[in-house]
Amino acid sequence: MNSSIRRSRRVALAVALGSVLALTATACGDDGSGSAGDKGGDGSGKGEITFWDNNGGVRTDIWKEIIADFEKANPDIKVKYVGVPADSVQSKYDTAIQGGGLPDVGGVGTAMLAEVAAQGALEPLDDRLAESDLKDQLNAKFLDSVKAAGGDRKTYSVPTSANNGTLWYRTDLFQQAGLEAPTTWTKFYTAADKLTNKGENAFGYTIRGGAGSIAQALDATYGQSGITEFWSGDRTTVNDPENVAALEKYTGLYKKDTPAADVNNDFTKMVAQWDSGTIGMLSHNLGSFGDHQKALAGKFKGIPAPTRDDGTRVQVSNPVDGLGLFKSSKNKTAAWKFIEFAAGHESNSKWNETAGQVPANLEAAQDSWVRSSEPTKLAAEALSGDGTEIVQLPYYLPDWNTISKADNEPNFQKVLLGKMSAKDFLDTLAEQLNAAQADWKKNHG
């Protein structure tokens, strides 16, 4: 039996078990607070609500500031803050869904949204949004990512921010070589070749070969091929001949225009290597800006992923962060007020300025700090622009994280090392994805 299907069935079993446990707790006299089987209620709109921050520690200070602002504006509501480390938030939600203790509001990004929503824990927010001042204030592409990730096109999370793939390049090295900015894939490959001088330990690019390599490789693949849909019917497009050709060209950079050590690069090694060396270009996201600024101030710029020669930009979806309202909340009126406040212009701008990410609130995305930070400004324009097509990755598949990490990162290293062809790699990936999609459809009607 296909390993992907086995994993999907284990997840389905866990979901079913969670529902049974929740119902059992209620039947035994538990008040049901925080369990997935409890429908909760609108409440009085006053009193205390609990908020789980899905990146506790890193963003605690800014959330506490937003909470203080909210409580000042809504003196009848108190918000209990619980910071949950990003690497354990999924398991904490799963445990609370099964045993009780869910918050009223929680941070739920698209990477985990499907699993939480599939267990019946989240309230669909479409009707609330339709009647809210937020209705026309949220980035439509962020909302689309949320709806795609949920698996049934419902809005289970109000988007608050997104990261974006960024091509960082050394302006000093480009100027010395008489090169134009790598705004197209043609210019990117030209620069990668011209900036490489192995005798002087200079390379045009650093490629991600270690942990996290698959999403970056898919971004480069779809970006070059111009294919804008991840699925064609029930079959994935990842192994389309145009994608195969694109990946062959991209992986062909390894050791020709990149350091040999790149085969083991995760983002930490890749960023450190770029900041301390003479490498022309690096693909990462907005989150590494601070590191580059410390090491290379005045010597670099960041732009969105290159366009095709006709000016069209295709990129895969980055996880969108957001706030979910849990069904078990007994004070949904107050919880929704908090979500509206946090996703509103002032709070959303404040949060994203601290995080260095792109605001989901359209008014916040026009604020001065965004305009003064060129990489963030360009990312916001790319994510909102009509010329950008977003290929929605199937975050809703229970096996997506396993397939895109543990199952295929070793295979991608084989491609770089010449031990596996790009076609075989993408065919293997496609086989696993098609099986996972078929299993998901069977379990979701």
Side-chain angles (χ1 to χ4, degrees):
M1 183 184 294
N2 184 285
S3 62
S4 269
I5 294 176
R6 285 198 298 269
R7 278 190 299 272
S8 286
R9 289 177 180 169
R10 284 198 297 272
V11 170
L13 181 61
V15 172
L17 177 61
S19 299
V20 171
L21 287 171
L23 291 169
T24 301
T26 304
C28 292
D30 188 298
D31 66 5
S33 61
S35 68
D38 184 2
K39 294 180 181 179
D42 286 336
S44 66
K46 301 177 182 180
E48 183 177 87
I49 59 171
T50 298
F51 164 59
W52 284 8
D53 172 11
N54 59 336
N55 197 4
V58 178
R59 309 291 180 216
T60 295
D61 289 345
I62 185 60
W63 271 121
K64 287 191 172 180
E65 185 177 332
I66 290 170
I67 288 169
D69 292 342
F70 173 76
E71 291 178 343
K72 184 177 180 181
N74 298 271
D76 292 330
I77 303 173
K78 297 299 177 186
V79 180
K80 179 182 177 182
Y81 171 88
V82 178
V84 184
D87 59 1
S88 62
V89 69
Q90 177 72 69
S91 61
K92 189 170 177 66
Y93 279 136
D94 288 342
T95 299
I97 288 169
Q98 294 184 22
L102 282 166
D104 299 276
V105 178
V108 187
T110 51
M112 74 174 76
L113 184 62
E115 186 169 340
V116 178
Q119 297 181 73
L122 291 169
E123 180 102 344
L125 299 173
D126 302 86
D127 290 344
R128 293 179 189 271
L129 268 176
E131 298 175 359
S132 170
D133 290 341
L134 288 176
K135 180 179 64 172
D136 299 316
Q137 293 184 2
L138 299 174
N139 185 304
K141 288 179 177 168
F142 292 13
L143 275 169
D144 191 54
S145 291
V146 168
K147 290 178 179 180
D152 59 5
R153 300 300 302 175
K154 292 180 181 177
T155 307
Y156 288 107
S157 176
V158 171
T160 54
S161 68
N163 218 321
N164 197 50
T166 303
L167 181 62
W168 303 102
Y169 70 101
R170 289 282 298 270
T171 51
D172 55 340
L173 301 181
F174 270 70
Q175 185 175 5
Q176 291 167 20
L179 288 164
E180 296 181 48
T183 52
T184 68
W185 285 105
T186 297
K187 292 176 181 177
F188 166 82
Y189 282 109
T190 297
D193 281 337
K194 192 164 184 180
L195 292 173
T196 298
N197 185 332
K198 294 180 182 177
E200 296 182 6
N201 200 35
F203 296 92
Y205 186 61
T206 175
I207 198 168
R208 189 168 182 166
S213 60
I214 304 302
Q216 188 172 100
L218 290 178
D219 208 12
T221 298
Y222 280 93
Q224 293 174 82
S225 73
I227 295 170
T228 59
E229 298 291 340
F230 194 81
W231 300 102
S232 177
D234 292 332
R235 312 289 292 179
T236 180
T237 59
V238 291
N239 60 337
D240 182 283
E242 291 187 34
N243 275 340
V244 172
L247 185 62
E248 285 174 344
K249 188 168 186 179
Y250 181 69
T251 55
L253 292 169
Y254 176 66
K255 286 180 72 174
K256 180 171 78 74
D257 293 327
T258 80
D262 282 4
V263 70
N264 293 313
N265 269 356
D266 58 13
F267 87 91
T268 304
K269 293 175 185 173
M270 190 172 60
V271 168
Q273 178 178 262
W274 193 70
D275 287 346
S276 62
T278 52
I279 299 174
M281 295 176 289
L282 159 75
S283 295
H284 192 234
N285 57 46
L286 294 169
S288 56
F289 174 76
D291 292 323
H292 307 326
Q293 187 67 13
K294 290 175 185 175
L296 299 167
K299 298 179 180 179
F300 76 99
K301 283 189 176 182
I303 57 176
T307 67
R308 287 159 53 84
D309 287 343
D310 64 4
T312 59
R313 175 178 286 110
V314 177
Q315 62 185 68
V316 300
S317 54
N318 281 271
V320 173
D321 208 1
L323 297 172
L325 174 59
F326 284 85
K327 277 186 180 178
S328 57
S329 171
K330 289 182 168 54
N331 200 349
K332 292 175 185 175
T333 301
W336 177 247
K337 282 182 181 179
F338 177 66
I339 291 175
E340 285 186 302
F341 186 89
H345 178 181
E346 184 178 346
S347 298
N348 193 239
S349 182
K350 187 181 293 188
W351 191 95
N352 279 281
E353 183 176 11
T354 301
Q357 297 193 22
V358 180
N361 186 291
L362 295 174
E363 292 179 338
Q366 297 301 316
D367 283 350
S368 59
W369 71 266
V370 177
R371 296 196 303 272
S372 64
S373 172
E374 186 179 33
T376 307
K377 173 178 176 287
L378 293 173
E381 290 173 352
L383 287 170
S384 302
D386 293 335
T388 299
E389 295 284 350
I390 307 292
V391 180
Q392 297 293 348
L393 296 179
Y395 297 121
Y396 61 86
L397 292 177
D399 286 341
W400 168 249
N401 283 334
T402 302
I403 291 171
S404 63
K405 296 182 186 297
D407 282 359
N408 285 287
E409 285 177 352
N411 282 346
F412 185 70
Q413 290 180 315
K414 291 179 183 177
V415 175
L416 295 179
L417 295 169
K419 297 178 179 179
M420 187 177 197
S421 70
K423 183 178 186 304
D424 286 346
F425 168 76
L426 290 175
D427 282 346
T428 300
L429 180 61
E431 181 182 2
Q432 295 170 342
L433 288 165
N434 290 337
Q437 174 78 346
D439 197 52
W440 183 85
K441 282 205 161 186
K442 185 173 68 175
N443 290 319
H444 291 78

